[in-house]
């Protein structure tokens, strides 16, 4: 649709040139009906409810300037093109680089550890979103106005602090108990770091060689994924026995205050 759809890559022309759209007699026409081919050259042909005047003439000149960027090809079907690759074909790498806001040559060791760890792809993808702060914790939902009150944004595990990615996975008392047990199982004593990227790098450093480090990363992925799954089962399924397990363990360590 010429006016309604973002076919030229600058947003819909309907929104950008609202006054011209209101005057158009071709509001619901596709691009192919907005002109004609003449000796292999595309000619635009507009029909208006009345003669353009004043500022409308300037807006029309701006519209024709925008349309010069459209390279229409005769007798060829439309097709989707991925603009982040020179060949026009989609690639995971280019979308990853785009989301990271990095240049193609730049790498981050955290993501390298995540993608090469021996773990299912859905868990790796989850950890990737953790590093970007894009999991749907309640602080993000509050910002997007999916929920509306501070009480709704409290952590479902401890019920005391606003749920954020950092709190839920690293500093919540319930999560801390899990991490303390994991570190004790590995024979390590260390301070807890609330930043996901640094936390993972610290955890990977427990291993003495690359193979062991990948194993540590796999353990780290298992812990954060398990905490997220427990959280979701409490929130969405009301699985009370899981919550009781966390709280019975938590109450033994937090004192009576």
């Amino acid at each position: 649709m010429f006016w309604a759809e973002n076919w030229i890559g600058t947003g819909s022309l309907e929104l950008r040139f609202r006054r011209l759209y209101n005057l158009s007699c071709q509001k619901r026409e596709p691009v192919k009906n907005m002109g004609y081919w003449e000796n292999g050259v595309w000619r635009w042909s507009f029909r208006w409810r009345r003669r353009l005047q004043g500022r409308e003439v300037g807006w029309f000149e701006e519209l024709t300037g925008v349309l010069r960027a459209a390279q229409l090809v005769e007798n060829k079907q439309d097709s989707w093109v991925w603009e982040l690759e020179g060949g026009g074909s989609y690639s995971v790498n280019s979308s990853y680089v785009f989301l990271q806001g990095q240049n193609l040559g730049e790498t981050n060791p955290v993501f390298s550890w995540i993608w090469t760890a021996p773990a299912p792809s859905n868990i790796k993808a989850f950890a990737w979103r953790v590093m970007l702060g894009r999991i749907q914790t309640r602080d993000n939902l509050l910002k997007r106005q999916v929920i509306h009150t501070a009480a709704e944004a409290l952590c479902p595990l401890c019920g005391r602090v606003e749920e954020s990615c950092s709190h839920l996975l690293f500093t919540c008392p319930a999560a801390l108990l899990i991490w303390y047990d994991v570190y004790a199982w590995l024979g390590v004593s260390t301070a807890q770091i609330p930043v996901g990227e640094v936390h993972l790098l610290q955890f990977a450093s427990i291993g003495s060689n690359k193979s062991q480090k990948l194993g540590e990363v796999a353990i780290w992925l298992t812990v954060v994924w398990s905490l997220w799954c427990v959280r979701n089962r409490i929130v969405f399924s009301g699985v009370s026995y899981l919550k009781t397990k966390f709280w019975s363990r938590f109450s033994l360590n937090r004192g009576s205050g």
Side-chain angles (χ1 to χ4, degrees), residues 5-11 13 16 44 63 66-70 83:
E5 296 185 279
N6 181 20
W7 63 275
I8 202 170
T10 59
L13 297 175
R16 184 169 178 178
W44 295 104
L63 171 62
V66 170
L67 294 176
R68 290 191 190 102
E83 294 183 343

Side-chain angles (χ1 to χ4, degrees), residues 48-234:
W48 309 105
R49 291 192 291 106
R50 60 167 173 77
R51 188 184 186 91
L52 299 182
Q53 53 190 359
R55 295 177 62 187
E56 297 162 358
V57 176
W59 292 332
F60 178 66
E61 291 177 354
E62 182 181 349
L63 171 62
T64 56
V66 170
L67 294 176
R68 290 191 190 102
Q71 299 179 358
L72 303 184
V73 180
E74 191 173 7
N75 298 322
K76 185 176 180 180
Q77 290 292 325
D78 294 340
S79 61
W80 289 102
V81 175
W82 180 249
E83 294 183 343
L84 299 182
E85 286 284 2
S89 298
Y90 173 78
S91 72
V92 173
N93 181 65
S94 62
S95 59
Y96 166 76
V97 170
F98 172 75
L99 292 172
Q100 287 297 308
Q102 298 177 343
N103 294 324
L104 285 172
E106 294 178 342
T107 58
N108 187 319
V110 170
F111 295 103
S112 177
W113 284 118
I114 290 174
W115 296 126
T116 55
S121 58
N122 63 320
I123 298 179
K124 295 180 184 180
F126 169 75
W128 177 59
R129 294 197 302 273
V130 167
M131 296 303 166
L132 299 177
R134 292 177 181 168
I135 62 172
Q136 296 305 306
T137 44
R138 290 175 171 179
D139 63 332
N140 283 333
L141 297 177
L142 186 63
K143 291 174 185 176
R144 294 166 52 196
Q145 298 186 331
V146 176
I147 57 178
H148 305 283
T149 67
E152 292 177 291
L154 291 176
C155 171
L157 298 185
C158 70
R160 295 181 172 184
V161 179
E162 180 180 85
E163 182 192 43
S164 65
C165 180
S166 175
H167 170 79
L168 174 69
L169 300 178
F170 306 114
T171 63
C172 176
L176 282 173
L177 288 174
I178 303 301
W179 286 114
Y180 288 147
D181 279 352
V182 172
Y183 278 115
W185 174 58
L186 294 172
V188 175
S189 178
T190 184
Q192 290 294 311
I193 300 175
V195 181
E197 179 176 340
V198 182
H199 196 285
L200 174 56
L201 290 175
Q202 179 197 55
F203 206 87
S205 69
I206 296 173
S208 59
N209 56 53
K210 184 175 181 179
S211 178
Q212 290 181 359
K213 290 180 185 297
L214 286 173
E216 307 299 350
V217 173
I219 295 172
W220 188 92
L221 293 172
T222 302
V223 175
V224 295
W225 176 250
S226 298
L227 285 168
W228 181 246
C229 290
V230 168
R231 178 260 189 204
N232 286 341
R233 293 182 70 184
I234 292 172

Side-chain angles (χ1 to χ4, degrees), residues 1-5 7 13-14 17-36 42-50 52 60 63-64 67:
M1 303 296 289
F2 177 86
W3 290 104
E5 296 185 279
W7 63 275
L13 297 175
E14 174 185 349
F17 299 96
R18 171 61 71 175
R19 183 63 177 171
L20 295 180
Y21 169 77
N22 290 337
L23 291 173
S24 176
C25 297
Q26 302 158 290
K27 289 185 173 66
R28 311 315 321 159
E29 294 290 348
V31 175
K32 67 178 182 178
N33 291 346
M34 296 296 292
Y36 56 92
W42 177 256
R43 308 289 186 187
W44 295 104
S45 178
F46 295 93
R47 299 195 307 274
W48 309 105
R49 291 192 291 106
R50 60 167 173 77
L52 299 182
F60 178 66
L63 171 62
T64 56
L67 294 176

